[in-house]
Amino acid sequence: MTGLGLRYSTRQGEVRALRDVSFDLARGEALGLVGESGCGKTSLAKSLMRLLPDNARPAGGEVLLDGEGLLSLPEEEMRRVRWRRISLVFQAAMNSLDPVYRVGQQVLEAIEAHGVEETVASARARVARLFRLVGLDPRVMERYPHELSGGMRQRVVIAMALSCDPDIVIADEPTTALDVIVQDRILRELKAIQGQLGISIIYITHDMAVVAEVTDRVGVMYAGRLVELGETAAVFRSPLHPYTEALMSSFPSVSGEKRRLASLSGEPPDLADPPSGCAFHPRCAYATALCREQSPPRVGRGGQWAECWHPLDPAAVPVDPA
């Protein structure tokens, strides 16, 4: 994905939800996208799937899947890409499932719609295998959503996302509203499934602990931009961007010495009227006049980079945005 932009038309004016977002995704890789609510994470997921509301319009950039541009595909061809090549685990499992149909039938419909299996019997057998894969008894296929716990419903949604053997799964807050024990189980199962099937996963979350546990690389988003990207271990060990540091300081750690958590002051910017220069400067302890006046350059070390005038590592050097 290169230079992706997205705008929403609202009564308050035009909102720039995504601005020049670029990253790549290797086969079998787990990439985390993290940031506060409203930073553009879910808009990015919907842009990749082309599941945008009527008031949204692309604002430049391209999305390539094995060299094929997805943004220019006719809708009929894009329907064949969804679920067969890229699938999505939605935030709220209960809202993703139709309450009047059995959960097995809902997964079966996705398989039949894309012609993955030749017969109904083989399609039902595939659903049963998927349920076992995500830790559900195949007998759950005959139940309705309201008969399942939150964790079971989330597993059904994951099974649906895997139903057509996609290359990429986008997991948008896959453990929201679940207790920590169930969260851990589902994340472990997703990681095991990824290794077993060799798929790529994009985790979208506000939870730094999730990112630390299951991803190979992490991208930090703020005000519709990707402001830092690097290997997960490197970013957690030594972040470059002050916003990344602030996010990490607001979450507790189960290892190391006890420390007081630090809240991030201020509010996320109004994307209908974003700040000049670096969008993070009104909340940044390191901001200078340069930050307020000019957009920051991209600087980095190794494979890690950030968009910042004053990176936390003074040894970071300018890198080519391309």
Side-chain angles (χ1 to χ4, degrees), residues 80-139:
R80 289 193 285 270
V81 171
R82 294 189 196 106
W83 255 246
R84 287 303 300 266
R85 302 295 309 280
I86 308 176
S87 63
L88 178 61
V89 178
F90 294 95
Q91 285 190 29
M94 194 63 188
N95 297 336
S96 306
L97 298 170
D98 192 319
V100 300
Y101 288 95
R102 291 180 171 86
V103 293
Q105 180 61 36
Q106 296 184 56
V107 180
L108 186 67
E109 285 181 359
I111 294 171
E112 292 176 336
H114 290 275
V116 178
E117 297 289 346
E118 295 184 356
T119 66
V120 173
S122 63
R124 287 189 62 83
R126 174 183 279 264
V127 177
R129 290 196 301 272
L130 287 167
F131 274 46
R132 292 191 191 96
L133 184 65
V134 299
L136 291 175
D137 190 307
R139 290 176 294 183

Side-chain angles (χ1 to χ4, degrees), residues 125-138 155-156 158-163 165-166 185-186 188-199:
R126 174 183 279 264
V127 177
R129 290 196 301 272
L130 287 167
F131 274 46
R132 292 191 191 96
L133 184 65
V134 299
L136 291 175
D137 190 307
R155 288 181 170 88
V156 171
I158 292 170
M160 188 179 297
L162 298 171
S163 62
D165 293 332
R185 288 175 181 169
I186 287 179
R188 288 177 183 273
E189 287 167 2
L190 269 173
K191 192 170 185 178
I193 289 168
Q194 180 191 8
Q196 185 176 340
L197 301 181
I199 60 177

Side-chain angles (χ1 to χ4, degrees), residues 197-257:
L197 301 181
I199 60 177
S200 303
I201 299 184
I202 299 175
Y203 289 93
I204 293 176
T205 180
H206 64 277
D207 192 335
M208 297 294 285
V210 169
V211 169
E213 184 174 353
V214 297
T215 64
D216 303 305
R217 285 191 303 155
V218 57
V220 180
M221 295 193 67
Y222 187 80
R225 292 189 67 90
L226 194 61
V227 297
E228 182 161 0
L229 179 67
E231 292 185 2
T232 302
V235 172
F236 272 76
R237 183 173 57 251
S238 181
L240 292 175
H241 200 285
Y243 178 60
T244 308
E245 179 186 56
L247 285 178
M248 292 172 59
S249 298
S250 66
F251 278 84
S253 174
V254 296
S255 61
E257 297 182 2

